[in-house]
Amino acid sequence: MIRVEGLTKDYGARRAIDHLSFHADDGEILGFLGPNGAGKTTAMRILCGYMPPTAGKAEVAGYDVVEQSLEVRRRVGYLPETVPLYPDMTVFDYLKFMADLRHLPKAGERVDDVLELVGLLDRADGYVANLSKGMRQRVGLAQALLHQPEVLILDEPTIGLDPAQIHEVRNLIQKLGRERTILLSTHILSEAQQVCDRVLIINKGHIVAEDTPERLQARVSGAQRIAIRVGNDGDGLEAVVRKVSGVLRVTQITVGSVEFETTPGTDARPQVARALVEAGYDLMEMRPIGVSLEEIFLQLTRDEPQPPEVWEGEPGPEETAESTSASHEEVNREG
Amino acid sequence: MRNIWTIANRELKYYFGSPAAYLVAFMFLIIIGIIFYANVVYAVTNQYAPGIDIVIGPMVTVLLFATPAITMRLLADEQRLGTMELLLTAPVRDWELVVGKWLGGFLFMIVILALTWLFPLLLNQIVDPGIDQGILVSGYLGLLLFTGALVAIGVAVSSLFSNQIAVFFATLGVYMVLWLIGLPGQASGGTGSELLRYIDISEHFYNTFYRGIIDLSDMVYFLALLALALFLGTVSLESRRWR
């Protein structure tokens, strides 16, 4: 269980995350989605007890991350963005060290178990320095799973893996997510769509959307995209569709099939169908295509309205620009 | 306690598998060996019996340079590798981490110190009727306390940087200040100079342990210095979390 209220973190003058509030229940996989620098890693680090927030409260597995940091750390498995490994140790020794730090009984057996889980049993005696990126990632994941934590926090768990490994890790995450809380960050949208029960889109330290991947899709698809296919040769099909009112954009897919987008809030399907029949086409198929999470993401993270009161000292991402321009002035004065 | 030992144990394993650590130990013994040989030859030509101070005296000076070479990696390397994030999110208290690092470095230094027993043994064979056992015991006790404090300072400085070379020179700088700060005190006199001479690390070694005297106040000084350094190291580590 993760419960976060008004979580804020400042790095000097820069506000990395700004009043984040969200929760994740047991057996839920929550996806953190956002461009680089959105504050995903900062939020995750706070939840792992790596650093305290500037303001706000966070509870992980029923314990406060500031007041009961050690209790939280005992119950959280954390895979940082850059997997921290000791190159001078063997895979087994590294995991044994981590298991000993967590006081696990029968640490050696437990290490063998997690190595089997991530498919690295045959590399147990190899040095960490000689592992490929994908293998390192899996060692990091093994480290996070050692103590069978109630809460798993995974910062970009599939980065650097090949497609087969990505598939494996996603399956593993889904399997693990049945009985525990998982918070994972990613910027691969299809991954969030596939793995997560709920997605939190975060941009510039703010949550811009929070919902199931399906509902998010439905919410933004005020603009509908529809594919049509006609039976005959389809000459001039594009032009006919384009003339219908309410149609925004038309793209030719193949001869005889096009895709079009409608203006948000309108449904131009009946008009298009009528126009096609009147023009003498045999309408074979008309099928709505969901707007992909990719598009939702871009829409939400790009079209964010700029706060107008930038210079009134309102804390926000613009403050960075302000302070840097101020320091430029200082430099100029000195020069 | 268990966490401290787990961390110290990893450091020890690292040192015993590291060519760099062996090199430092080897250089240490070679330098002491050369000085030892030169002193013995000098004593023979001038016809006097050399004391154990010809081993312990140079060791103090060489330790000032060897210790930072051993301790510089302790916390700095964790920052460079990013494994600090791992340790700071493991259920380990910050002070346990610092003390564990100190213990690992200290135990390795003890191994080096133990190897230098070769020289007193050798000297005992050469000199008739043998060396002064009292100075041997007090000298090595002093060296142990001295090294413990130096390693603690090394750990504290190591928490400040992620670059080992920077840590080496910064640690050496702190040692040198502590080593020389009594000098202006000796020159001027007065209450201020008393204080400077009390802070001076060499004042607590050469006047007592080196001469075969075990003084409780000097033991307290070294243990206090050690504890203070470990405390500052912990504070420095904790402050990383707030940045």
Side-chain angles (χ1 to χ4, degrees):
Chain A
M1 195 246 359
I2 299 172
R3 198 175 302 281
V4 171
E5 262 171 60
L7 205 66
T8 302
K9 176 77 188 177
D10 294 333
Y11 293 115
R14 195 175 73 85
R15 180 152 289 189
I17 54 173
D18 194 2
H19 292 90
L20 288 191
S21 297
F22 63 90
H23 69 94
D25 297 321
D26 293 335
E28 189 176 30
I29 305 178
L30 181 65
F32 244 18
L33 206 59
N36 292 333
K40 291 173 293 183
T41 299
T42 302
M44 290 182 140
R45 281 179 162 178
I46 292 171
L47 294 179
C48 294
Y50 178 71
M51 55 189 183
T54 308
K57 268 182 79 75
E59 240 177 55
V60 175
Y63 293 93
D64 188 278
V65 292
V66 179
E67 304 296 328
Q68 294 150 311
S69 176
L70 278 182
E71 295 299 324
V72 168
R73 287 188 249 161
R74 282 195 188 106
R75 287 165 178 80
V76 173
Y78 176 43
L79 172 68
E81 195 175 3
T82 44
V83 185
L85 299 172
Y86 296 105
D88 57 286
M89 291 177 106
T90 66
V91 173
F92 183 88
D93 285 347
Y94 168 75
L95 291 174
K96 177 76 169 34
F97 171 64
M98 292 312 294
D100 286 342
L101 279 185
R102 294 191 174 276
H103 303 189
L104 298 186
K106 294 181 189 162
E109 284 173 36
R110 184 64 200 140
V111 169
D112 283 339
D113 288 349
V114 289
L115 279 175
E116 202 177 341
L117 195 66
V118 299
L120 277 177
L121 209 48
D122 54 327
R123 300 301 289 260
D125 296 323
Y127 279 93
V128 168
N130 302 331
L131 296 181
S132 70
K133 179 91 172 77
M135 287 175 179
R136 282 161 177 259
Q137 198 74 22
R138 284 189 278 165
V139 175
L141 197 60
Q143 168 272 127
L145 295 174
L146 269 175
H147 49 299
Q148 296 171 296
E150 289 168 46
V151 178
L152 258 181
I153 296 184
L154 310 172
D155 204 349
E156 314 231 341
T158 57
I159 205 164
L161 301 180
D162 67 36
Q165 291 166 341
I166 288 178
H167 186 72
E168 270 171 44
V169 168
R170 281 180 193 163
N171 284 347
L172 182 63
I173 291 171
Q174 274 176 322
K175 205 173 92 191
L176 292 165
R178 277 182 219 132
E179 63 251 37
R180 51 200 103 212
T181 315
I182 299 185
L183 175 63
L184 69 89
S185 80
T186 178
H187 56 244
I188 309 165
L189 300 136
S190 59
E191 182 167 290
Q193 216 157 2
Q194 247 178 51
V195 181
C196 303
D197 301 318
R198 215 145 46 83
V199 175
L200 236 141
I201 297 182
I202 156 169
N203 188 36
K204 294 176 184 169
H206 295 270
I207 295 174
V208 290
E210 177 187 354
D211 222 325
T212 61
E214 297 78 32
R215 291 239 293 272
L216 268 180
Q217 227 165 7
R219 208 164 91 187
V220 187
S221 51
Q224 273 190 322
R225 179 183 278 190
I226 291 142
I228 48 177
R229 191 164 60 83
V230 293
N232 15 14
D233 58 6
D235 277 345
L237 178 65
E238 218 186 315
V240 173
V241 176
R242 190 168 285 140
K243 261 183 260 164
V244 180
S245 74
V247 172
L248 264 187
R249 212 173 298 137
V250 185
T251 24
Q252 177 109 30
I253 305 299
T254 55
V255 180
S257 82
V258 294
E259 275 182 27
F260 66 89
E261 268 175 51
T262 61
T263 0
T266 63
D267 191 351
R269 277 179 292 182
Q271 288 90 323
V272 171
R274 208 170 298 130
L276 286 175
V277 173
E278 276 165 15
Y281 292 104
D282 299 334
L283 182 59
M284 303 295 284
E285 189 186 352
M286 181 178 273
R287 170 172 55 91
I289 312 168
V291 178
S292 73
L293 204 49
E294 231 113 335
E295 286 160 70
I296 302 169
F297 178 72
L298 287 177
Q299 214 168 320
L300 286 169
T301 54
R302 267 195 199 148
D303 304 348
E304 204 191 333
Q306 304 287 319
E309 62 281 77
V310 177
W311 297 95
E312 264 79 67
E314 180 75 18
E318 274 70 29
E319 223 173 55
T320 332
E322 189 186 350
S323 60
T324 41
S325 68
S327 64
H328 274 302
E329 273 171 35
E330 268 176 37
V331 169
N332 287 343
R333 257 179 255 134
E334 275 167 26
Chain B
M1 271 319 277
R2 199 167 150 188
N3 290 337
I4 294 173
W5 177 244
T6 304
I7 289 162
N9 193 31
R10 197 199 95 73
E11 294 311 319
L12 272 184
K13 275 188 192 152
Y14 174 88
Y15 285 130
F16 283 111
S18 153
Y22 279 109
L23 188 70
V24 173
F26 181 71
M27 292 302 289
F28 187 87
L29 293 174
I30 285 283
I31 293 168
I32 300 298
I34 291 170
I35 298 171
F36 176 75
Y37 178 76
N39 270 313
V40 169
V41 170
Y42 182 81
V44 169
T45 45
N46 289 282
Q47 305 217 321
Y48 71 89
I52 188 60
D53 53 300
I54 65 165
V55 178
I56 291 170
M59 251 163 82
V60 175
T61 319
V62 181
L63 272 174
L64 290 176
F65 294 89
T67 313
I70 292 298
T71 60
M72 62 184 184
R73 57 171 294 276
L74 285 171
L75 286 166
D77 218 33
E78 301 280 356
Q79 284 161 52
R80 188 180 60 84
L81 291 170
T83 42
M84 192 62 104
E85 196 167 352
L86 202 68
L87 295 174
L88 292 185
T89 54
V92 178
R93 291 173 184 86
D94 290 355
W95 67 264
E96 288 176 328
L97 176 58
V98 171
V99 174
K101 290 284 180 185
W102 169 80
L103 188 61
F106 185 49
L107 289 178
F108 187 74
M109 291 305 293
I110 286 179
V111 172
I112 298 179
L113 287 182
L115 290 174
T116 63
W117 271 74
L118 176 76
F119 299 113
L121 283 177
L122 221 60
L123 198 64
N124 205 27
Q125 298 297 313
I126 301 167
V127 183
D128 189 55
I131 53 169
D132 187 335
Q133 305 290 339
I135 297 182
L136 182 69
V137 171
S138 76
Y140 268 90
L141 178 66
L143 282 176
L144 211 61
L145 289 164
F146 180 68
T147 309
L150 290 191
V151 173
I153 293 168
V155 173
V157 177
S158 183
S159 70
L160 298 173
F161 306 92
S162 58
N163 182 326
Q164 293 191 29
I165 305 297
V167 175
F168 179 88
F169 284 105
T171 310
L172 197 59
V174 175
Y175 290 173
M176 285 303 151
V177 169
L178 280 174
W179 187 250
L180 300 170
I181 198 160
L183 284 183
Q186 278 172 351
S188 63
T191 44
S193 76
E194 287 276 315
L195 182 69
L196 291 183
R197 285 182 68 175
Y198 184 76
I199 297 171
D200 194 311
I201 200 165
S202 59
E203 292 273 334
H204 295 272
F205 188 82
Y206 284 122
N207 294 337
T208 47
F209 291 114
Y210 188 63
R211 294 184 180 158
I213 304 161
I214 297 175
D215 190 330
L216 188 67
S217 74
D218 291 328
M219 290 174 78
V220 169
Y221 167 84
F222 281 115
L223 292 176
L225 184 61
L226 194 161
L228 178 70
L230 291 182
F231 171 73
L232 290 177
T234 307
V235 170
S236 152
L237 198 67
E238 251 163 29
S239 78
R240 295 193 68 79
R241 294 178 184 271
W242 293 91
R243 270 178 240 163

